[in-house]
Amino acid sequence: MNKKTIIRILIAVVVIIAVKKGVSFVYDKIQVMNAPTMQEISEANPWAVPADWFKTDTITIKGCIEDYDAEQFGFTSMACYYTDVFEKGSTVLVLDIADDGTFCKKFLASYPVCNSFIADGSKVRFNAIRFFARPGETIDITVRKGTFGKYECVYNNGSSRDVERWLRTSDNFADALSPLWEFEGKFDDANEVADEVWKRLMAKLQSISRSKDYTPMEVQLALADIEAHFGMAYMDCIDRLSNAMVKHEQRDSTWYTEILDSVEWNKYLDSKTYAPMRRIDYDNPLLFASSSYHFLQNRIQYAKPVWEGQFKGLISEGGGMEINVENFTKKLSNGLAALRDFMGTDKDNLLAQMCVYKDMTSGFDTWREEGGSLQEMLADTTITEAQRKENLDNWPTLTKMFPLYLDAIKNPYIRQKAEHFRDRRLAQKDLATPLPSTPEAELIRKLVAKYPGRFLFIDFWGMTCGPCRAAIQESKELRAEIAKRDDVKLIFIAGERTTEGSDAYKQYVTEWLTNEETVCLTNAEFRRLQELFQFNGIPHYETITPDGRRVREDLSISGYHDFKNELERVLEKLK
């Protein structure tokens, strides 16, 4: 074949590819232009949410990886980053793979869960077990090599089998969100992009659900999952744009903040700017099943218009809110009004009630502590009887605050969860609890033995975590003072690919953590500690007593910002 012939063939191939791409582009545009609405998709696929959708019970994920060989596969465990919105926060579930490839994991759930166990460092064409399960179910999954040598999950029973078409294709919707992840510009333009993204998602759902023959149940679950992911992507986009409008500068040891674009900043403060978020049905219980639901709830609860709206008319000239029952009552009422305005509704929907629940859990321990403060104030002989009565009437104790928040929760299940949270918290009598007899806890016990008579303050951190490094660097002088004490020892535990750590890790430790107790674990070992202490995000802090007990969450030292006072409180409580 001569040179001219080869060139002609190459040109023809390029033309064919260009034509195909052009056809694909045009077809994609036509699909988006003719995208159905969410209501049209929902009405075309009617499915009733089960009456027992909200239920608390154990979920079991079990099964086998065929032809499993640990060395060949490159992993012996998998991890699921899981959040139950009724519990304190995200955690990690570790799924161990036995030598014969079998696995089994049980965990407690408050509602149906769609999530994945993911393998780190996989050497084969398999790294995730996706599942959907309802509380009380045992889901049996076989992982076997399928077409073209790629491993796939075979769902043998239960809810995962009912929605297996959706589980196998749910990742296909992620790329439609990329314009929001990548956008930089003005809010109005971001909203135009969001509208385009939403239409693309609806068009894609219609196309995939038809080609893969989704059941109505799968369509409804996919729709709710898309809503949650869309909301999270949009709010992250807004957060990124707002950060670009602010300049922080330190002058003479004082930090100054400058708003670079006041017009855009005012839009950031206005609920009307967030119009794309009103596409979401916040009263849909199926949203809870999405792995992004807790992100969605968190982004809305702390959205700028919502956060500032709850304090409307309550901030004094000094910049704070006077602590009393009346102001807390107004704050709760303002917050619900701000949520309704943000979400474009006239009712306190499920997500709004979850925001109330989260506020209640955040304030619970403080209100409980305030009961003790009130007793001290009532015993104060320097105040009048009238002042004493006023303090009694207005002080925000648990007996006054909890009923206030509970009354704002109308959904029976969320209300029941709030009451269970209260009862569980009040039943906590021990200020510190023993660590379990597990290999993960043994590492902590060895550290306790290494520093006898001292409390351990453990800082779980990582090189990829900006807030972790910022906290370490800003606390350098404080840590030098802490090092002089003989009653506490700082421990820094990080996860890396190997126990030696990367060159960047070694350099950072040398620069910022010289003479500190640093522990470098593999990522797999670090995840086991995350499961033990029930956390996902970092930085995370734990306080361990000299006899190896874990200090209760509400008493544990929460960071470096008020370290001395918090340590003294722990010492006082546990003496």
Side-chain angles (χ1 to χ4, degrees), residues 431 455 565-575:
L431 302 180
F455 281 83
N565 289 333
E566 291 188 3
L567 175 60
E568 293 303 324
R569 183 187 64 172
V570 171
L571 295 175
E572 176 66 23
K573 290 282 187 181
L574 296 176
K575 69 179 180 180

Side-chain angles (χ1 to χ4, degrees), residues 25 42 67 71 136 139 171 185 203 236 241-242 255 269 271 275 393 413 421 432 452 475 484 501-502 523 527 563:
F25 176 78
S42 182
D67 304 318
E71 185 173 347
I139 304 295
D171 289 342
D236 284 353
L241 299 184
S242 67
W255 281 97
L269 302 177
S271 286
D393 292 339
Y413 188 71
F421 177 90
S475 64
K484 299 175 184 178
S502 63
N523 290 325
R527 284 192 290 270
F563 188 93

Side-chain angles (χ1 to χ4, degrees), residues 222-455:
L223 194 56
D225 195 43
I226 286 171
E227 291 177 76
H229 281 85
F230 170 82
M232 183 184 73
Y234 176 80
M235 292 302 294
D236 284 353
C237 174
I238 294 297
D239 188 50
R240 190 172 62 254
L241 299 184
S242 67
N243 287 337
M245 295 176 218
V246 182
K247 178 182 178 182
H248 300 287
E249 186 178 22
Q250 188 176 22
R251 299 193 298 269
D252 299 327
S253 301
T254 302
W255 281 97
Y256 295 87
T257 299
E258 179 185 357
I259 305 300
L260 303 177
D261 189 332
S262 59
V263 174
E264 286 296 293
W265 186 258
N266 286 333
K267 290 180 181 179
Y268 175 53
L269 302 177
D270 189 351
S271 286
K272 296 184 180 66
T273 300
Y274 301 77
M277 293 294 288
R278 297 184 176 184
R279 295 180 181 274
I280 299 171
D281 178 7
Y282 298 103
D283 227 12
N284 183 1
L286 298 183
L287 284 174
F288 282 75
S290 173
S291 59
S292 287
Y293 180 75
H294 66 288
F295 290 116
L296 176 68
Q297 184 265 323
N298 179 270
R299 300 297 192 274
I300 292 176
Q301 183 168 5
Y302 295 102
K304 195 68 170 180
V306 175
W307 178 254
E308 295 207 342
Q310 66 183 323
F311 293 103
K312 185 178 179 180
L314 297 176
I315 304 301
S316 65
E317 291 183 3
M321 184 184 82
E322 184 179 346
I323 304 301
N324 57 52
V325 173
E326 181 181 0
N327 280 352
F328 269 112
T329 303
K330 288 180 179 178
K331 177 176 174 288
L332 175 58
S333 177
N334 286 350
L336 286 169
L339 284 166
R340 290 193 293 270
D341 188 41
F342 184 91
M343 294 185 279
T345 180
D346 59 356
K347 61 182 291 190
D348 296 333
N349 53 42
L350 285 175
L351 191 137
Q353 292 179 63
M354 278 306 307
C355 289
V356 173
Y357 175 90
K358 285 295 186 180
D359 276 344
M360 180 276 296
T361 59
S362 296
F364 189 92
D365 292 320
T366 301
W367 301 331
R368 182 166 57 176
E369 288 291 317
E370 294 296 353
S373 300
L374 179 61
Q375 295 306 313
E376 295 176 10
M377 289 180 15
L378 293 178
D380 186 354
T381 58
T382 65
I383 62 176
T384 66
E385 186 63 32
Q387 290 174 320
R388 191 174 287 110
K389 184 179 186 306
E390 183 179 355
N391 289 338
L392 182 63
D393 292 339
N394 293 328
W395 200 250
T397 61
L398 181 61
T399 55
K400 293 173 185 172
M401 299 308 302
F402 182 80
L404 176 68
Y405 278 74
L406 187 65
D407 194 49
I409 299 173
K410 306 304 180 185
N411 179 270
Y413 188 71
I414 302 177
R415 189 181 178 90
Q416 179 190 78
K417 280 291 189 178
E419 292 173 331
H420 285 175
F421 177 90
R422 174 200 59 197
D423 295 343
R424 191 168 69 243
R425 267 291 203 265
L426 292 178
Q428 289 180 329
K429 301 302 180 185
D430 295 328
L431 302 180
T433 54
L435 294 171
S437 300
T438 62
E440 301 79 49
E442 189 59 31
L443 167 65
I444 308 301
R445 276 190 279 270
K446 287 180 179 178
L447 290 169
V448 169
K450 187 175 181 179
Y451 298 100
R454 297 196 193 188
F455 281 83

Side-chain angles (χ1 to χ4, degrees), residues 85-97:
V85 295
F86 292 105
E87 299 304 320
K88 69 169 187 174
S90 302
T91 187
V92 174
L93 304 174
V94 177
L95 178 72
D96 288 313
I97 314 297

Side-chain angles (χ1 to χ4, degrees), residues 47-55 111-112 132 134-135 137 159 162 217 220-221 284-286 289:
W47 179 70
V49 179
D52 62 345
W53 179 260
F54 288 119
K55 174 185 175 183
Y111 45 81
F132 173 69
R134 296 176 61 189
E137 280 192 303
S159 294
D162 293 339
M217 176 183 177
Q220 295 289 350
L221 284 168
N284 183 1
L286 298 183

Side-chain angles (χ1 to χ4, degrees), residues 418-554:
E419 292 173 331
H420 285 175
F421 177 90
R422 174 200 59 197
D423 295 343
R424 191 168 69 243
R425 267 291 203 265
L426 292 178
Q428 289 180 329
K429 301 302 180 185
D430 295 328
L431 302 180
T433 54
L435 294 171
S437 300
T438 62
E440 301 79 49
E442 189 59 31
L443 167 65
I444 308 301
R445 276 190 279 270
K446 287 180 179 178
L447 290 169
V448 169
K450 187 175 181 179
Y451 298 100
R454 297 196 193 188
F455 281 83
L456 301 185
F457 175 72
I458 304 177
D459 182 335
F460 292 95
W461 69 288
M463 283 299 296
T464 60
C465 171
C468 297
R469 297 197 308 275
I472 289 172
Q473 291 163 207
E474 291 169 3
S475 64
K476 184 176 181 179
E477 293 181 5
L478 171 63
R479 288 187 284 112
E481 291 300 313
I482 295 172
K484 299 175 184 178
R485 302 183 62 130
D486 60 3
D487 57 354
V488 64
K489 179 64 180 176
L490 306 183
I491 310 290
F492 296 84
I493 300 179
E496 290 273 304
R497 293 192 64 82
T498 67
T499 54
E500 290 76 28
S502 63
D503 290 341
Y505 169 83
K506 295 174 186 175
Q507 182 179 344
Y508 188 86
V509 168
T510 299
E511 182 177 1
W512 291 102
L513 294 172
T514 301
N515 299 324
E516 301 281 16
E517 178 69 47
T518 58
V519 179
C520 187
L521 304 174
T522 65
N523 290 325
E525 292 170 331
F526 190 83
R527 284 192 290 270
R528 293 187 185 282
L529 286 177
Q530 287 181 294
E531 183 174 37
L532 171 63
F533 290 113
Q534 294 183 305
F535 72 94
N536 184 355
I538 50 176
H540 177 80
Y541 308 107
E542 290 286 341
T543 307
I544 307 297
T545 65
D547 59 350
R549 292 177 296 145
R550 180 190 185 189
V551 174
R552 204 170 71 191
E553 179 189 355
D554 57 304

